[in-house]
Amino acid sequence: MTTPALYDAEVRHARRRDLDTAFSHPIYYWFVDLDALPRLPFWLRPFARFCARDHLGDPERGIRENVDTYLAAHGIDLAGGRVLMLAHARVLGYVFNPISVFWCHHADGTLACVVAEVHNTYGERHCYLLHPDPSGRAGGDKEFYVSPFLTVDGHYTMRLPEPGERLGIAITLHQDGAPAFVATLAGVRRPATTRQVARTVLRRPLVTQRTAALIRRHGIALWTRLPVVPKP
């Protein structure tokens, strides 16, 4: 599949524990090859910057190099295979990625693993190293404080198939034997041409700023109705 690309998408969060509530909003994500990041005209670059400091590893090194270093620490060598990333880019100097996903391939093109990098609103991040089955399903224990209204326990089930013409990601947190939280991201692929990028930026201005603001707004709404779980 050709990269870079954009996904015109909708994100949906649904809380199922203590309080049944949900929200959704339109969004767009970039899908890029870490060895061939987008090269845009100078007037569009402020709306699509990819910086190592926004992801795992050393901010003074490249994103690809940091992914390889992380994988090497877990005994995985891609031998030069492609790494494809789904994430927000910096928009006017700001970015917030609730989740960035890296599909990591061996040199022969087969999928070696998936890295799901989760960010919280406290400026922290955590990586989950996953080995999905052929349908893109994987799971693992919750290890990271994300929401101040959910404890750091439970088990995630994830569906992270590599995006094609459509994007379809789902993450469910199970606590005490039942779903506590469900997040989905669904979208349609668009070619990242100059015209399409400009059109998307105009249709969804300040997308990362808006995402962060909406998360905080919904957090305030929950704060009036739920107890806060202290941050470890």
Side-chain angles (χ1 to χ4, degrees), residues 11-225:
V11 63
R12 177 178 171 81
H13 288 184
R15 184 186 175 90
R16 296 290 180 253
R17 181 170 183 169
D18 301 326
L19 181 67
D20 200 333
T21 184
F23 74 90
S24 63
H25 65 90
I27 203 169
Y28 70 88
Y29 265 83
W30 281 88
F31 187 55
V32 299
D33 185 331
L34 292 186
D35 292 320
L37 292 174
R39 296 184 178 182
L40 297 171
F42 74 92
W43 52 275
L44 268 180
R45 291 172 196 165
F47 301 94
R49 293 190 184 277
F50 297 90
C51 301
R53 65 182 181 272
D54 301 325
H55 300 283
L56 72 167
D58 186 343
E60 301 301 321
R61 301 160 75 181
I63 304 173
R64 171 62 198 253
E65 187 178 0
N66 284 331
V67 171
D68 284 337
T69 299
Y70 172 81
L71 295 179
H74 292 82
I76 299 172
D77 181 3
L78 301 180
R82 297 177 83 196
V83 178
L84 303 176
M85 178 179 75
L86 181 78
H88 284 309
R90 279 185 171 257
V91 176
L92 298 180
Y94 179 82
V95 70
F96 177 67
N97 271 300
I99 187 170
S100 306
V101 186
F102 303 84
W103 286 268
C104 307
H105 299 82
H106 293 296
D108 64 3
T110 58
L111 186 68
C113 61
V114 173
V115 178
E117 182 184 32
V118 180
H119 303 243
N120 64 23
T121 54
Y122 301 93
E124 300 166 328
R125 63 175 68 106
H126 180 78
C127 289
Y128 293 91
L129 179 62
L130 307 168
H131 297 278
D133 66 17
S135 69
R137 298 182 185 278
D141 292 336
K142 184 179 181 182
E143 301 172 343
F144 182 57
Y145 183 86
V146 181
S147 168
F149 308 104
L150 288 168
T151 55
V152 186
D153 67 279
H155 181 84
Y156 286 116
T157 55
M158 306 184 190
R159 185 176 179 274
L160 302 167
E162 188 173 312
E165 290 303 319
R166 292 189 173 272
L167 170 66
I169 287 176
I171 299 173
T172 302
L173 172 65
H174 302 267
Q175 293 182 327
D176 299 326
F181 176 81
V182 181
T184 60
L185 180 63
V188 178
R189 186 185 186 94
R190 309 291 186 204
T193 62
T194 297
R195 182 175 181 177
Q196 184 65 52
V197 173
R199 181 182 178 188
T200 302
V201 167
L202 289 172
R203 287 179 63 238
R204 307 271 187 255
L206 304 178
V207 64
T208 63
Q209 291 88 338
R210 183 172 183 268
T211 296
L214 286 172
I215 288 173
R216 288 176 170 85
R217 189 187 79 179
H218 288 288
I220 291 170
L222 291 175
W223 177 72
T224 64
R225 305 171 70 181

